[in-house]
Amino acid sequence: MGYKLCMAEKPSVAKEIAKVIGADKPCNGYYEGNGYRVTWAVGHLVGLAEPEEYGFVNKKEMWGEGKEQAYAELPLIPEEFKLIVLEPTKDQFEIVKNLINSPETDEIINCGDMGAEGHILQWFIREKAGCTKKVRRFCATSLTEESIKKAMANLRPEEEFANIIKGEFCKKKADWIMGMSMSRAESIKYGTSITVGRVQS
């Protein structure tokens, strides 16, 4: 018999879910028990690659010999966006990736936050990890024992949320194009590091 892998967004959420479903054995980066493994992200484990990853001028060269080329490249629009594992949380990503791809894992239960950001962060992790397993969605609006039990008893197909993920990915790409392009344009123009972004603006 294999395990159902629950993927939460934060360690504190994973702990609450694990307690309710009987995954009471602490392991390195996850809890285990009663046919479940419960793991977590630590904020963001995976994100969109920096401009250098697409062959655009390196940020260091942007100030010197590469200044004209960097300006000519604007706006930065990659043909295809790349996902990268973020350095500060790479150890936890490797744990999650190994759990996802373990032959002992029968299915994934997405226990990420219910907002659009929660959907895309979990999708980023699964995509980067090469997940091919069945995924179902845990839909709880609170972490009371009753709410967790109800959500576990009423898991929904991940496919129901495909349009939310597509929409949020589109927004992430638009934010990247605007933020990276405008930041470079302003930085080159004024000769100092300036960051521009939809949220901060």
Side-chain angles (χ1 to χ4, degrees):
M1 178 182 169
Y3 290 93
K4 294 178 180 179
L5 176 65
C6 298
M7 291 172 53
E9 193 162 315
K10 309 176 191 73
S12 59
V13 175
K15 186 176 182 180
E16 290 301 314
I17 293 172
K19 185 168 61 176
V20 172
I21 64 177
D24 51 11
K25 178 185 174 185
C27 302
N28 182 25
Y30 64 100
Y31 298 97
E32 182 178 293
N34 195 32
Y36 292 96
R37 284 175 172 161
V38 185
T39 190
W40 56 85
V42 189
H44 296 218
L45 300 185
V46 176
L48 296 178
E50 293 293 309
E52 292 83 353
E53 296 287 327
Y54 304 100
F56 296 121
V57 172
N58 186 289
K59 192 179 287 185
K60 291 179 181 178
E61 297 172 353
M62 190 175 78
W63 305 106
E65 294 180 2
K67 183 177 178 179
E68 287 187 14
Q69 184 185 340
Y71 203 74
E73 289 173 343
L74 299 174
L76 304 181
I77 306 178
E79 286 187 20
E80 186 174 343
F81 280 82
K82 300 177 184 178
L83 297 176
I84 58 163
V85 177
L86 302 178
E87 190 65 26
T89 52
K90 66 178 183 179
D91 291 344
Q92 183 62 17
F93 173 78
E94 286 302 317
I95 291 169
V96 175
K97 177 184 175 181
N98 290 336
L99 289 170
I100 288 172
N101 294 311
S102 167
E104 295 182 324
T105 298
D106 290 337
E107 73 168 312
I108 312 295
I109 300 175
N110 175 3
C111 299
D113 290 355
M114 283 300 295
E117 179 82 354
H119 283 281
I120 196 69
L121 293 182
Q122 290 287 323
W123 183 79
F124 274 0
I125 295 168
R126 296 195 307 270
E127 191 73 6
K128 188 62 178 173
C131 177
T132 58
K133 306 281 174 71
K134 174 185 175 182
V135 183
R136 291 193 289 168
R137 191 57 160 98
F138 169 95
C139 302
T141 53
S142 72
L143 290 176
T144 63
E145 182 176 345
E146 181 183 0
S147 183
I148 291 171
K149 284 182 176 178
K150 184 178 178 181
M152 291 300 291
N154 295 279
L155 297 172
R156 294 165 64 182
E158 183 73 8
E159 291 76 15
E160 289 183 17
F161 305 92
N163 285 339
I164 294 176
I165 294 169
K166 287 177 184 176
E168 190 65 12
F169 193 27
C170 184
K171 189 174 83 173
K172 291 279 185 194
K173 290 186 282 189
D175 285 350
W176 189 100
I177 290 168
M178 190 191 87
M180 292 295 184
S181 299
M182 291 298 294
S183 294
R184 285 200 167 203
E186 296 297 297
S187 297
I188 293 169
K189 182 177 180 179
Y190 294 106
T192 187
S193 183
I194 297 173
T195 59
V196 180
R198 176 181 59 85
V199 176
Q200 70 187 71
S201 299

